[in-house]
Structure formats: C-alpha cells, structure tokens
C-alpha cells in the first residue's frame, strides 16, 4: 500500500502542490508502524513529530486523578493526531496516544516541518488551515458538551462520524461523548427500538 500517496492526497485536498513539492514532502516524512494497543505518545513524553494516520486508528486520551480515561480524540486514516500542546511547546505530554488497531503513521520531525514551511510555503498554509479546522471542531464539541443532552451528543456524533462507530469499541465512544458505556448502550437501544 502506498502510504505516502495517502498523505499527498490529503495535502492536495487543501493546497495545490506540484510534483516537485510532493517529492520534497515525502523525503521529510518517515513511516512508523504500531501494533494494536501500542503507544505512540505517553504522558511525560515530549512530542517531537507531527503525525498523519495512513492506516488504522488511534485514540488520544488522558487519565484523571482517579485513573478514569477521558478520550479527547479518535483518529482514523486521513486524520492527524498528536499531543499538540506538547509538540508546539516542547513540554511533557499530558495525553496518551494509543493504537486501537494495527496502525501506520507518516510522521515528520519539528525541524523537518520547519524546513518544509520555508521550502514549500503552501505547507505552512496547509497546516494553518488544518489547525484552524481542528480548533473550530474543538470549540463546537465544547459547546455541544455544555448545551446538549447526552442523547443529542450521540446523535450528532452519529451524523458526523457514522464510520467511527464501526471502528471503535462502545466504551471508547462513550468516553469521547462523556457518558458511561451503560448509558450509551441504553440510548442506542432506545434509538434502535423506536
């Protein structure tokens, strides 16, 4: 499978790079394979790479003081995942990023990314637009979590991310939505029975 082609396709959806740009971009990215349940980042690590999911799925979560898991992000092919705060500030990660299934990542170091921004200015634009989109999604999710019922949040999740429901276990989706697995199960049953 051509993982580099997936990355280039993702970039081309946002910015018009040429074939010379493609070659330069691919030269700066490295392939990393993860087994199911393997960690990409653990709390305390410093994130030194920006990471594109070429195949598979991951979750980004943190553990509260009671050891309860809170999922902040679910990621599949074509998405970027990281502890962005750690990456941008070069401070220890507060989150865990773990493979949910066998996964292939295309990653680029901070230094190589800065070089790309200089040599291919469209890459700076690409990442700016991706980060803006991610920030907007985070704000929407925060507002929905404060203003919607758990059932409304689940319905919103299903309408936006129907394909994720098939890829992640129910307890992970429940954590992402901020509900218990039992509550999510009862909401799903209620919806399917009606």
């Amino acid at each position: 499978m051509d993982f580099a082609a997936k990355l280039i396709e993702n970039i081309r959806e946002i910015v018009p790079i040429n074939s010379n740009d493609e070659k330069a971009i691919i030269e700066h990215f490295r392939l990393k394979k993860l087994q199911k349940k393997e960690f990409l980042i653990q709390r305390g690590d410093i994130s030194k790479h920006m990471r594109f999911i070429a195949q598979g799925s991951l979750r980004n979560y943190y553990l509260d003081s009671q050891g309860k898991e809170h999922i902040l992000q679910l990621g599949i092919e074509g998405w970027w995942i990281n502890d962005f705060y750690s990456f941008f500030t070069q401070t220890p990660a507060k989150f865990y990023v773990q493979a949910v299934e066998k996964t292939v990542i295309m990653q680029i170091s901070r230094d190589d990314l800065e070089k790309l921004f200089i040599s291919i200015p469209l890459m700076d634009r690409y990442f700016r637009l991706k980060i803006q989109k991610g920030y907007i999604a985070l704000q929407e999710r925060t507002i929905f979590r404060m203003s919607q019922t758990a059932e409304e949040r689940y319905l919103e999740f299903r309408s936006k991310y129907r394909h994720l429901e098939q890829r992640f276990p129910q307890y992970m989706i429940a954590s992402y939505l901020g509900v218990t697995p039992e509550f999510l199960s009862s909401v799903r049953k209620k919806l399917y029975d009606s």
Side-chain angles (χ1 to χ4, degrees), residues 50 85 139 189:
M50 193 62 84
Y85 186 83
Q139 281 193 324
K189 183 177 180 344

Side-chain angles (χ1 to χ4, degrees), residues 147-186:
S147 63
Q148 291 181 321
T149 66
E151 187 172 325
E152 290 169 333
R153 287 195 309 269
Y154 173 64
L155 290 171
E156 178 81 15
F157 174 83
R158 275 186 51 189
S159 83
K160 277 188 171 178
Y161 307 114
R162 181 73 180 175
H163 53 288
L164 292 186
E165 197 168 15
Q166 311 307 315
R167 300 280 299 272
F168 293 92
Q170 182 171 303
Y171 80 92
M172 288 185 192
I173 294 170
S175 174
Y176 178 80
L177 295 172
V179 298
T180 64
E182 295 77 20
F183 182 83
L184 180 58
S185 181
S186 70

Side-chain angles (χ1 to χ4, degrees), residues 85-144:
Y85 186 83
S86 175
F87 179 81
F88 290 119
T89 64
Q90 287 300 277
T91 57
K94 295 181 179 2
F95 306 114
Y96 297 86
V97 178
Q98 184 182 36
V100 175
E101 57 193 31
K102 276 185 157 184
T103 301
V104 177
I105 301 289
M106 296 289 295
Q107 64 181 21
I108 185 169
S109 71
R110 283 175 52 91
D111 291 343
D112 281 345
L113 187 57
E114 288 299 324
K115 289 174 189 170
L116 271 185
F117 289 163
I118 293 165
S119 65
I120 307 170
L122 283 172
M123 287 303 291
D124 189 81
R125 178 176 168 73
Y126 169 80
F127 276 102
R128 180 178 56 79
L129 292 172
K130 291 301 272 184
I131 290 167
Q132 284 176 348
K133 186 178 175 184
Y135 184 73
I136 290 166
L138 176 63
Q139 281 193 324
E140 284 179 343
R141 184 168 171 225
T142 302
I143 291 167
F144 290 147

Side-chain angles (χ1 to χ4, degrees), residues 46-58:
I46 294 177
S47 178
K48 297 180 185 301
H49 296 85
M50 193 62 84
R51 296 166 169 110
F52 173 79
I53 306 169
Q55 179 181 305
S57 63
L58 296 107

